[in-house]
């Protein structure tokens, strides 16, 4: 089936560049349509970006948000919801490349036995992407638990609490100068599944008000832009090779 989601995310970010602290306030709204179709060994998820609105935060090229409208991505998911293959987006649009980090982590990982009240499990999400001429890898170790049933969006839902430990590495070249990037952070979130298994939404605990599903964090560092999902606080430590 197909569903439409709206994400509204705000983040206060602290960065470290060559020993100098930088503080940025970010806001991003994404409207997207998502469809999910069963396959022999999992699912095919299709994403269509309906609109993107940005305020504060990284300076994307003029027209990047408008150009991202209509962008499409596809992900092959295993039975647990883990992403096995992912593709799509325009490699020349840095905003679309950063949406890769959001969309790869769109669906929560679930245990093979299913989500039931009192369940606890751990899964790992590995994401690779390109941003600002850098090849970026992110690993998130997600500790999840289901305290029980609650109400979300006027529907009975199972609540999933997630705490993620995130490590980031990357390298690239800008203006002929090689550089490396490393960072770490922690994330907290709540996801909601209906009794039928429909993903109803996600809220980040560090966000004052969040509507719909997904978290995107943008970082601007020496004219390089990075985006990682669900990060409460992320400190980047770039070094010049």
């Amino acid at each position: 089936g197909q569903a439409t989601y709206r994400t509204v995310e705000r983040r206060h970010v602290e960065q470290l560049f060559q020993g100098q602290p930088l503080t940025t306030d970010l806001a991003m709204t994404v409207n997207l349509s998502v469809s999910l179709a069963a396959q022999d060994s999992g699912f095919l998820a299709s994403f269509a970006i309906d609109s993107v609105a940005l305020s504060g935060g990284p300076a994307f090229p003029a027209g990047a948000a408008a150009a991202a409208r209509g962008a499409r991505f596809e992900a092959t998911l295993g039975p647990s919801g883990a992403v096995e293959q992912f593709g799509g987006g325009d490699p020349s649009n840095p905003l679309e490349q950063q949406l890769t980090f959001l969309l790869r982590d769109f669906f929560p990982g679930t245990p093979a036995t299913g989500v039931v009240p009192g369940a606890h499990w751990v899964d790992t999400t590995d994401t690779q992407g390109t941003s600002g001429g850098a090849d970026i890898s992110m690993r998130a170790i997600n500790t999840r638990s289901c305290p029980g049933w609650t109400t979300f969006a006027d529907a009975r839902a199972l609540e999933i609490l997630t705490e993620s430990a995130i490590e980031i590495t990357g390298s690239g070249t800008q203006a002929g100068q090689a550089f490396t990037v490393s960072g770490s952070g922690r994330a907290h979130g709540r996801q909601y599944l209906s009794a039928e298994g429909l993903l109803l939404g996600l809220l980040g605990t560090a966000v004052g008000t969040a509507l719909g599903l997904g978290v995107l964090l943008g970082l601007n560092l020496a004219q390089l832009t990075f985006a990682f999902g669900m990060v409460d606080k992320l400190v980047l430590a770039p070094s010049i090779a």
Side-chain angles (χ1 to χ4, degrees):
Q2 180 171 305
T4 301
Y5 296 91
R6 177 174 183 253
T7 76
V8 180
E9 301 302 334
R10 295 176 177 85
R11 281 291 185 264
H12 178 76
V13 182
E14 296 178 10
Q15 305 173 56
L16 187 65
F17 177 54
Q18 295 183 343
Q20 299 298 315
L22 301 172
T23 300
T24 307
D25 290 301
L26 313 169
M28 182 171 185
T29 301
V30 181
N31 292 287
L32 68 160
S33 300
V34 183
S35 63
L36 195 64
Q39 294 184 320
D40 291 340
S41 59
F43 302 90
L44 177 65
S46 300
F47 305 90
I49 305 301
D50 299 321
S51 66
V52 180
L54 304 168
S55 63
F60 290 98
R69 184 173 183 177
R72 295 184 176 274
F73 303 81
E74 282 192 347
T76 301
L77 310 179
S80 69
V83 174
E84 297 178 347
Q85 292 182 329
F86 187 91
D90 181 356
S92 67
N93 186 337
L95 177 57
E96 291 184 37
Q97 290 305 297
Q98 292 191 41
L99 287 173
T100 297
F101 291 96
L102 168 68
L103 300 178
R104 285 186 65 100
D105 199 31
F106 194 86
F107 294 101
T110 58
T113 54
V115 180
V116 296
H120 294 264
W121 69 100
V122 178
D123 59 68
T124 301
T125 304
D126 288 303
T127 305
Q128 288 78 40
T130 301
S131 182
D135 294 323
I136 304 295
S137 297
M138 179 179 73
R139 165 163 286 193
I141 300 176
N142 311 300
T143 302
R144 308 185 196 269
S145 63
C146 176
W149 291 95
T150 186
T151 299
F152 182 82
D154 298 324
R156 188 168 181 257
L158 281 170
E159 182 179 45
I160 299 175
L161 306 180
T162 301
E163 181 174 340
S164 302
I166 299 172
E167 296 291 336
I168 300 132
T169 58
S171 63
T173 303
Q174 186 181 62
Q177 179 68 63
F179 64 89
T180 62
V181 174
S182 64
S184 62
R186 300 196 69 85
H188 303 269
R190 299 170 184 259
Q191 294 161 313
Y192 298 90
L193 297 177
S194 72
E196 297 77 24
L198 175 66
L199 183 60
L200 297 177
L202 179 149
L203 299 176
T205 57
V207 181
T209 302
L211 305 176
L213 177 65
V215 177
L216 182 67
L217 169 63
L219 300 179
N220 188 344
L221 185 58
Q223 298 181 351
L224 300 176
T225 306
F226 306 91
F228 305 101
M230 294 170 49
V231 179
D232 297 331
K233 178 180 178 181
L234 182 68
V235 178
L236 290 182
S239 62
I240 304 300

